[in-house]
Amino acid sequence: DEEAQAKGQTLLEQMKERQGLSQVMGNALLLRLAVDHYVRHGKLAENRAELYRYYVEDIIARREKEKNLLDERWEDWQIKNALQEIAWTLQIKRQKTLTDLADMVGRELKIINSVELLNYLRERLGLLVVYGYDKGELIKFQHDTFREYFAAQRLVSNWKQNKSQTWKFLRPRLHHPAWREVILLFVVSLNDEQSATEFIQKVLNAKSEYEKELHRDLLLAVECLNSGVNLEAVF
């Protein structure tokens, strides 16, 4: 017990010193993931996005090890892409029925059995849940934080394909409360100092309304830095 308490105290102290994990302390789910990551790898995760990625990849890895979870109808990349499509749609539309989401996933990813895939994500992997049966089966993520994470991964893909279009989409949403966590997870998920630096420079130069009075662009840039992002030395 004494050894466990000592290790736990050491872990908490290290987490307090790491900017990218500052928000983990008050979130039971993330704290559990941080501890699990520390126990398995012997080191702290760099930021929240790494914890989410670790959790999702662990779930997918377990499905391959456990025969009762293995379903060869879908490749791992199809599952990840489907989660991004679902998260992106829910982030923008907020509510969608299981049927509507399945149609969207099937159309975007060219998957015939998309309804079965969503049921698999819900019933077997536990990433999605159903609610609102009286108006049709509405779908959401088990935890909203995972919707935000997968929406951020979609933004990363968009940024790599077309930075100008992605910035055009993000600029009017920079200070919208529903997009705050998505943006913070997006910038730490870039894993590219040049891209992260370029994005934060765009934020600083966004010239949002009433910036001189409110300094919202400046504060958002600081939040991005506090999320654990690495920047180029020339910044």
Side-chain angles (χ1 to χ4, degrees):
D1 289 343
E2 291 181 0
E3 182 181 0
Q5 289 180 4
K7 289 183 177 180
Q9 186 61 38
T10 300
L11 173 60
L12 290 174
E13 291 174 355
Q14 292 179 5
M15 289 172 64
K16 289 178 182 178
E17 295 174 356
R18 181 159 296 179
Q19 289 181 329
L21 295 178
S22 59
Q23 294 178 315
V24 171
M25 307 296 292
N27 186 304
L29 172 64
L30 290 179
L31 185 59
R32 181 177 67 81
L33 295 181
V35 172
D36 192 53
H37 184 283
Y38 182 77
V39 170
R40 293 197 184 193
H41 298 280
K43 62 179 182 179
L44 283 175
E46 291 296 326
N47 48 58
R48 288 184 300 146
E50 185 177 337
L51 288 179
Y52 292 128
R53 182 168 59 252
Y54 162 72
Y55 178 76
V56 173
E57 290 180 353
D58 182 58
I59 286 179
I60 294 177
R62 285 206 310 266
R63 88 185 186 103
E64 297 177 351
K65 294 178 181 178
E66 301 175 13
K67 292 183 179 179
N68 63 321
L69 287 180
L70 183 61
D71 196 320
E72 298 180 349
R73 286 179 291 178
W74 307 287
E75 301 289 341
D76 289 351
W77 67 268
Q78 290 178 306
I79 290 176
K80 292 178 181 178
N81 285 351
L83 288 168
Q84 287 187 27
E85 290 290 342
I86 293 168
W88 187 254
T89 301
L90 294 179
Q91 180 67 28
I92 295 175
K93 303 294 185 181
R94 310 306 292 174
Q95 285 188 339
K96 279 288 183 179
T97 65
L98 186 151
T99 302
D100 289 340
L101 278 175
D103 289 342
M104 180 272 301
V105 169
R107 183 172 59 256
E108 294 294 328
L109 302 182
K110 296 179 173 58
I111 295 176
I112 298 175
N113 50 359
S114 55
V115 174
E116 289 88 343
L117 174 56
L118 262 67
N119 284 327
Y120 178 75
L121 295 173
R122 176 170 63 93
E123 298 171 0
R124 305 291 290 279
L125 297 190
L127 292 171
L128 303 175
V129 294
V130 169
Y131 69 104
Y133 294 95
D134 56 330
K135 297 181 180 180
E137 292 184 322
L138 298 176
I139 287 284
K140 70 175 183 177
F141 278 82
Q142 181 79 7
H143 299 282
D144 287 340
T145 50
F146 286 104
R147 184 199 71 237
E148 294 165 343
Y149 167 73
F150 282 113
Q153 301 314 299
R154 172 65 178 269
L155 277 176
V156 171
S157 299
N158 293 349
W159 181 267
K160 292 179 179 179
Q161 294 175 10
N162 193 321
K163 292 181 181 179
S164 61
Q165 282 296 110
T166 305
W167 173 247
K168 184 178 179 181
F169 174 86
L170 280 175
R171 185 174 181 180
R173 296 171 173 82
L174 287 179
H175 307 297
H176 193 293
W179 286 88
R180 176 180 174 275
E181 292 301 320
V182 176
I183 290 173
L184 295 178
L185 288 168
F186 157 71
V187 71
V188 297
S189 297
L190 286 171
N191 293 325
D192 174 4
E193 292 183 1
Q194 181 178 356
S195 293
T197 301
E198 184 178 352
F199 175 74
I200 293 181
Q201 286 175 331
K202 286 182 177 294
V203 171
L204 286 171
N205 297 319
K207 297 180 180 178
S208 297
E209 192 173 14
Y210 304 116
E211 178 61 18
K212 290 183 179 180
E213 293 79 15
L214 301 177
H215 307 295
R216 292 184 300 171
D217 296 336
L218 177 61
L219 292 173
L220 178 58
V222 172
E223 280 194 276
C224 290
L225 292 175
N226 288 337
S227 294
V229 65
N230 295 317
L231 302 181
E232 289 184 322
V234 296
F235 184 74

